[in-house]
Amino acid sequence: MDKLIALPVSGESFLLRRDDKHVLVDGGYNSRELARALRTHVASLTCLDVVVCTHADRDHSGGLVSLLEHADFSVKELWLPGAWIDVLPELILEPAAVMDGLLNELDHQQGDFTAEDIADLDGEGIERIFEARAAEEKKRARRFEERRVDRNVGEGETDIDGPPVSDFPQSLMGDAPLDLESAREFERARRAIRYRAARKKADVRVAHYWLGLVKTAQIIREIAAKAVLRGVKVRWFDFGEFALTRIASGGEKGFLEPLNSVELRAVPRRATLSYLAKLSAVNEECLAFFAPPDVTRLGVVFCGDSPLGDGTGYGTSFLDKRIAPDFPVVVTAPHHGSQNNAVAYDHLTSWTDIALWVRTGGSAKQPGKWFMDLSSGERACTHCPRSGLTKQKATVGLGGPFWTHRWPWHGPLLRVSAHECECK
Ligand SMILES: [Zn+2]
Ligand SMILES: [Zn+2]
């Protein structure tokens, strides 16, 4: 029987059972906690057919770092963000150079702000500034690539494709430094950042953001390196290529399909970016996936932290060009139900019928008004951060049969076991 389980871990992690296969979408903060949750709540698990990482934020990716070590089950495929390819060769072969570059950019940033510019901002405000900068830089680079493609390329070909992606990153690992050596480089960078903050050579909040970039670099390197060491197949899903064409492609048709990315067949040759842009996990680029519904079962949309749109206020929906399914879907609450991503709610509800929103992760700042405005039958939670409920898995049975395929749809057939959502 198909089902969706929101695992009771810190951060966000969902397990989908479909066609007798298991798909894990994100891993929360901590690998040990994740492995324990999988053992406890999915007793029959011997194999994860697909493990998806939607983006590099720690509450989604941290738990995937050593999952392969703690797990007593096998992993067949890892689906990772294509943006990581922009930094991975360097991260694997020359982690010290990446850290030096990052420190150099930190020193350089100071000239760009006056103390007054950022005086009133808290850590989150700083985060927004740098993420917006990273997103803007990537957009500029894409516009350049678009021109290049228009100018040089005939129908059906592209000049931005590098070598085939099938042996990436395996082909990089030959001369890569031992893991311990790279760990020393990351630690050296962290010390250098803290030193600058202590000596007032860097703003404390900016330094904190840079420490996050070092952590992201470490997560990306370790996930890729462990996949290679354990012989797990890696598939890459790129938001940047989607942003150029607006047509998502790849994945497994009818089983799990990308909504805002293109599965890469070749390593793209792209404009050089700053390390800030390469290592900032921009929410706009968070990967979203779709397990389509049919007569026998509900579908699932995995939103991660994606606003499911871009442009001003993320108002241009990624779903515009996509035919809506005939049957309802269950949705993971975008960005943990945060009000920042309220626009994703509009994109989804104007696209198709939503049977249920499942919320997990996040802090007491989330969820926002749009989530709390849902009726109690339309939402489920692993814990309601403001009510201090202990984490509990939320399970949604996705199997039919369904009598009608349009509202009013016979809701009681939806089998949900979760906390009665007390988010208010
Ligand atoms: Zn998140
Ligand atoms: Zn709740």
Side-chain angles (χ1 to χ4, degrees):
M1 176 71 79
D2 283 17
K3 58 181 161 182
L4 174 72
I5 301 177
L7 291 164
V9 297
S10 309
E12 185 167 301
S13 180
F14 290 100
L15 186 89
L16 172 69
R17 191 188 150 107
R18 190 174 166 96
D19 296 341
D20 288 325
K21 290 186 174 159
H22 290 99
V23 176
L24 184 76
V25 179
D26 287 335
Y29 276 104
N30 184 288
S31 301
R32 267 173 219 275
E33 192 188 17
L34 175 63
R36 203 181 317 125
L38 285 169
R39 265 198 300 276
T40 311
H41 300 293
V42 199
S44 59
L45 188 67
T46 55
C47 172
L48 286 173
D49 296 272
V50 179
V51 173
V52 177
C53 182
T54 61
H55 66 308
D57 269 353
R58 246 168 298 167
D59 57 329
H60 298 255
S61 61
L64 301 178
V65 169
S66 337
L67 176 68
L68 300 175
E69 279 159 23
H70 294 299
D72 40 19
F73 42 80
S74 57
V75 173
K76 276 198 185 145
E77 291 186 3
L78 261 177
W79 293 14
L80 301 178
W84 293 9
I85 289 182
D86 296 346
V87 71
L88 200 49
E90 228 183 323
L91 257 185
I92 287 191
L93 300 173
E94 300 175 273
V98 177
M99 291 300 109
D100 287 342
L102 202 54
L103 288 170
N104 193 17
E105 285 177 19
L106 172 62
D107 294 337
H108 192 74
Q109 292 300 334
Q110 299 310 304
D112 295 356
F113 294 119
T114 63
E116 297 90 72
D117 278 344
I118 56 172
D120 298 333
L121 295 176
D122 58 4
E124 264 179 54
I126 294 281
E127 209 173 293
R128 270 198 299 277
I129 284 189
F130 284 118
E131 282 182 9
R133 243 187 216 201
E136 193 42 51
E137 188 184 329
K138 288 181 176 194
K139 244 176 248 161
R140 272 202 309 274
R142 279 200 289 274
R143 279 200 290 272
F144 173 73
E145 281 159 25
E146 201 165 17
R147 276 204 305 278
R148 216 160 57 130
V149 173
D150 287 350
R151 204 175 52 235
N152 295 331
V153 177
E155 191 81 16
E157 348 162 6
T158 161
D159 79 336
I160 57 169
D161 291 348
V165 80
S166 51
D167 64 343
F168 187 89
Q170 287 85 340
S171 55
L172 294 171
M173 289 297 289
D175 301 320
L178 292 171
D179 264 349
L180 248 163
E181 281 174 50
S182 70
R184 265 202 292 274
E185 293 305 332
F186 295 126
E187 193 44 44
R188 178 179 65 86
R190 271 192 277 270
R191 273 202 308 273
I193 293 168
R194 287 194 200 105
Y195 178 84
R196 281 161 169 78
R199 293 290 168 104
K200 307 251 186 311
K201 287 179 175 161
D203 180 274
V204 172
R205 296 156 299 172
V206 175
H208 186 79
Y209 187 79
W210 248 250
L211 288 173
L213 296 177
V214 174
K215 186 71 200 170
T216 302
Q218 198 164 10
I219 286 175
I220 291 175
R221 190 185 196 279
E222 287 189 21
I223 288 179
K226 281 178 187 147
V228 172
L229 292 174
R230 307 264 155 166
V232 177
K233 181 179 175 189
V234 180
R235 294 168 68 174
W236 300 94
F237 291 80
D238 194 51
F239 173 84
E241 294 291 309
F242 168 81
L244 291 175
T245 60
R246 311 297 292 188
I247 298 165
S249 62
E252 297 295 329
K253 186 126 194 67
F255 179 72
L256 190 67
E257 305 169 5
L259 283 175
N260 62 347
S261 61
V262 168
E263 183 175 359
L264 294 174
R265 285 194 297 269
V267 177
R269 277 193 271 272
R270 284 199 279 231
T272 308
L273 298 167
S274 68
Y275 291 111
L276 168 73
K278 286 176 181 172
L279 292 170
S280 289
V282 180
N283 280 350
E284 179 183 308
E285 302 194 354
C286 170
L287 303 179
F289 285 89
F290 179 40
D294 57 38
V295 180
T296 65
R297 58 188 169 184
L298 296 169
V300 181
V301 178
F302 294 96
C303 294
D305 290 353
S306 171
L308 295 178
D310 60 4
T312 311
Y314 304 124
T316 312
S317 173
F318 293 150
L319 305 170
D320 275 356
K321 287 195 179 171
R322 206 176 170 102
I323 297 164
D326 286 335
F327 303 94
V329 298
V330 171
V331 171
T332 71
H335 202 189
H336 321 285
S338 160
Q339 195 61 21
N340 297 340
N341 281 26
V343 67
Y345 169 85
D346 296 329
H347 294 331
L348 283 160
T349 50
S350 53
W351 182 57
T352 193
D353 298 329
I354 312 293
L356 186 78
W357 304 78
V358 186
R359 206 206 66 80
T360 183
S363 67
K365 282 183 205 148
Q366 296 135 334
K369 187 173 180 310
W370 74 263
F371 183 81
M372 294 180 295
D373 282 349
L374 298 168
S375 73
S376 60
E378 290 175 292
R379 52 176 156 140
C381 250
T382 52
H383 64 294
C384 305
R386 277 179 222 129
S387 308
L389 297 180
T390 52
K391 291 189 188 74
Q392 183 180 305
K393 74 169 168 173
T395 308
V396 184
L398 301 168
F402 308 112
W403 308 316
T404 69
H405 64 283
R406 282 290 171 209
W407 295 110
W409 165 70
H410 296 272
L413 277 178
L414 190 61
R415 289 173 302 278
V416 183
S417 103
H419 279 301
E420 188 72 38
C421 181
E422 289 181 16
C423 289
K424 54 185 180 296

